[in-house]
Amino acid sequence: MRDKKVRVLLAKPGLDGHDRGLKVLARGLRDAGMEVIYLGLRLTPEQIAQAALEEDVDVVGLSCLSGAHMVLFPKTVGLIKEKGGGDILFIGGGIIPGKDIPGLEAAGIAMVFGPGTPIGEITGFMKERVRRRGVDNQD
Amino acid sequence: MTPEIARLVGGMLAGDKPSLARLISLAEDDSPHFPEILEMLRPRLGKSYCVGITGPPGAGKSTLIDRLVAVIRSRGLSVGIILVDPSSPVSGGAVLGDRVRMQRHYLDEGVFIRSMATRGSQGGLSGGVQAAVSLLAASGRDIIIIETVGVGQTELGISGIADVVVLLLVPESGDDIQAMKAGIVEIADIIVVNKADREGAERLAEQLKAAVAPGRTKAVPQVITAQAINDIGIEALYRAIEKRRKGR
Ligand SMILES: Nc1nc2c(ncn2[C@@H]2O[C@H](COP(=O)(O)OP(=O)(O)OP(=O)(O)O)[C@@H](O)[C@H]2O)c(=O)[nH]1
Ligand SMILES: [Mg+2]
């Protein structure tokens, strides 16, 4: 068997027009050996969900700077789970006030990474959680 | 055959996209189950038509595919798309970004898009591509499109997989035409001179028509000028592909 690679989808739901931070993250994840499907910006939750399922990713990373994360993140996660992506790991980023984090966690976002989080911290978290998922799947 | 794989194959044949997606991952990871899966699907292969799209980095391959898919869908045919980008030789990771140009097709049930990294294999393709083509064919896609990584002369893997090879060039490619003759131009069935909104496209098209004929073993390729970004030349390309699909 070839190496199983961690596959990550990165997307920005909603209308904000800045994806520089997400592109930096994409390259960081690539340099950590992951395969990043870079989806870009101005996407609907439905579009992101469809792409995540077709690409069979392990992780979906959502970023939002517009303030609409409390609507767009749960909607995207919900659609993906509903369509059979229940074992995908979700992470969030962007400008997310601390008070919103419990609500996002309740909606299925495993971790929210604020601006300026070292990439090593994000890759470390993802590798740990995806590895655990792999082990869990074997029994 | 494990029950899990039987379930995935059943799901795929019933039109379930996540099942198809997971089977493509097994193919990519070169799962030991894969030969058995292929054996099971063999009777369902052979109906799809596979179009390889190749050409230098930035020539407009993804943009052209986006436009071509719109034409194919308007004819009521279903499509599977495989987009190949290079893996980093250092980390083994990859950023797969071709999909960005095809956003308007995401919610179309008749379109399935999958991105793949080369994972160290040669020839501008990934080791899992052939298997993914078989899966898309078995799932009933009428047309399968493959975008290869930007090619050099030695990367000719696409000709072994695709029924028709479309080579995209741009007006600036003319400088390299002598060098190209020896390589990828020789395997092309159709050559598209894209970005014809720029200077030199007609000249390159004429040059190509003159240059590719002598000493060729394959039929002389058709040369088409196009502006993918302005949706020009796409119908002509579709007709050229369709003619070959019908005539096979
Ligand atoms: N001027 C002009 N630009 C075009 C045309 N078609 C595509 N482009 C632009 O060319 C750039 C590259 O297009 P892509 O479709 O990403 O090219 P590609 O061959 O898929 O690129 P890689 O996958 O990176 O090798 C984009 O900025 C497109 O908008 C065209 O007909 N004319
Ligand atoms: Mg491309």
Side-chain angles (χ1 to χ4, degrees):
Chain A
M1 256 177 89
R2 279 185 284 268
D3 274 358
K4 170 85 181 96
K5 297 280 181 196
V6 175
R7 285 172 67 84
V8 184
L9 185 106
L10 294 182
K12 282 183 87 82
L15 295 176
D16 81 73
H18 299 275
D19 65 349
R20 190 178 310 163
L22 206 62
K23 281 186 170 154
V24 170
L25 177 61
R27 285 193 289 271
L29 299 181
R30 175 198 63 197
D31 294 343
M34 301 183 188
E35 290 181 356
V36 181
I37 293 102
Y38 184 77
L39 223 56
L41 34 77
R42 296 201 183 84
L43 293 149
T44 65
E46 286 81 4
Q47 288 177 309
I48 296 170
Q50 195 58 49
L53 295 170
E54 291 181 2
E55 297 288 354
D56 190 29
V57 291
D58 305 290
V59 183
V60 171
L62 301 173
S63 159
C64 185
L65 301 173
S66 71
H69 51 271
M70 290 308 279
V71 176
L72 296 171
F73 286 9
K75 179 137 195 241
T76 308
V77 174
L79 281 169
I80 293 175
K81 290 192 168 174
E82 178 191 311
K83 293 182 176 167
D87 55 357
I88 291 174
L89 174 72
F90 294 93
I91 61 170
I95 300 175
I96 314 284
K99 68 173 173 48
D100 289 348
I101 290 177
L104 292 177
E105 285 177 351
I109 304 282
M111 185 69 100
V112 173
F113 296 100
T117 308
I119 285 188
E121 199 176 302
I122 303 176
T123 56
F125 178 79
M126 284 176 19
K127 281 186 173 159
E128 172 62 22
R129 292 296 284 268
V130 170
R131 187 181 62 75
R132 281 221 307 262
R133 185 188 126 182
V135 171
D136 292 347
N137 279 352
Q138 278 166 17
D139 48 44
Chain B
M1 173 116 348
T2 68
E4 168 68 0
I5 286 176
R7 190 186 64 77
L8 291 173
V9 171
M12 179 193 81
L13 295 176
D16 179 52
K17 284 185 172 180
S19 299
L20 171 59
R22 182 56 56 88
L23 286 169
I24 293 177
S25 299
L26 292 177
E28 264 204 294
D29 297 341
D30 203 14
S31 151
H33 294 295
F34 211 77
E36 201 185 344
I37 297 172
L38 269 188
E39 197 48 50
M40 196 166 145
L41 297 177
R42 198 168 303 281
R44 297 173 185 275
L45 305 182
K47 292 199 191 75
S48 303
Y49 192 70
C50 184
V51 181
I53 311 261
T54 187
K61 298 181 290 295
S62 302
T63 310
L64 182 97
I65 291 171
D66 172 69
R67 305 301 195 272
L68 183 62
V69 167
V71 176
I72 294 170
R73 293 294 296 140
S74 77
R75 304 301 205 278
L77 299 168
S78 62
V79 194
I81 308 171
I82 300 170
L83 304 167
V84 186
D85 270 317
S87 298
S88 156
V90 181
S91 72
V95 176
L96 312 174
D98 293 319
R99 233 182 195 278
V100 174
R101 310 233 180 259
M102 300 170 201
Q103 291 180 355
R104 64 170 156 159
H105 299 298
Y106 288 6
L107 296 182
D108 183 345
E109 267 304 307
V111 178
F112 185 99
I113 308 175
R114 181 63 176 241
S115 312
M116 288 189 160
T118 50
R119 297 194 183 178
S121 66
Q122 300 296 310
L125 290 175
S126 141
V129 167
Q130 174 74 72
V133 167
S134 299
L135 288 166
L136 287 166
S139 78
R141 303 280 143 183
D142 296 310
I143 295 186
I144 298 165
I145 299 177
I146 304 172
E147 175 179 338
T148 75
V149 306
V151 287
Q153 293 179 58
T154 53
E155 297 164 321
L156 307 176
I158 188 66
S159 62
I161 296 180
D163 295 305
V164 59
V165 175
V166 179
L167 169 65
L168 233 70
L169 298 174
V170 292
E172 297 74 26
S173 309
D175 302 340
D176 311 320
I177 192 166
Q178 288 307 323
M180 284 187 312
K181 249 202 313 186
I184 188 82
V185 171
E186 284 295 310
I187 62 147
D189 301 296
I190 301 169
I191 301 178
V192 175
V193 179
N194 190 36
K195 308 200 183 183
D197 47 314
R198 292 191 192 159
E199 191 80 21
E202 288 303 330
R203 185 159 23 94
L204 175 59
E206 291 311 316
Q207 252 177 309
L208 284 166
K209 283 175 194 164
V212 290
R216 223 181 122 92
T217 46
K218 264 179 99 165
V220 175
Q222 189 171 347
V223 180
I224 296 171
T225 54
Q227 302 175 30
I229 207 170
N230 296 321
D231 226 339
I232 294 173
I234 311 302
E235 274 283 338
L237 173 60
Y238 173 76
R239 283 198 303 274
I241 292 168
E242 197 56 12
K243 201 174 94 198
R244 286 172 172 76
R245 188 171 82 100
K246 293 265 167 63
R248 91 189 130 134

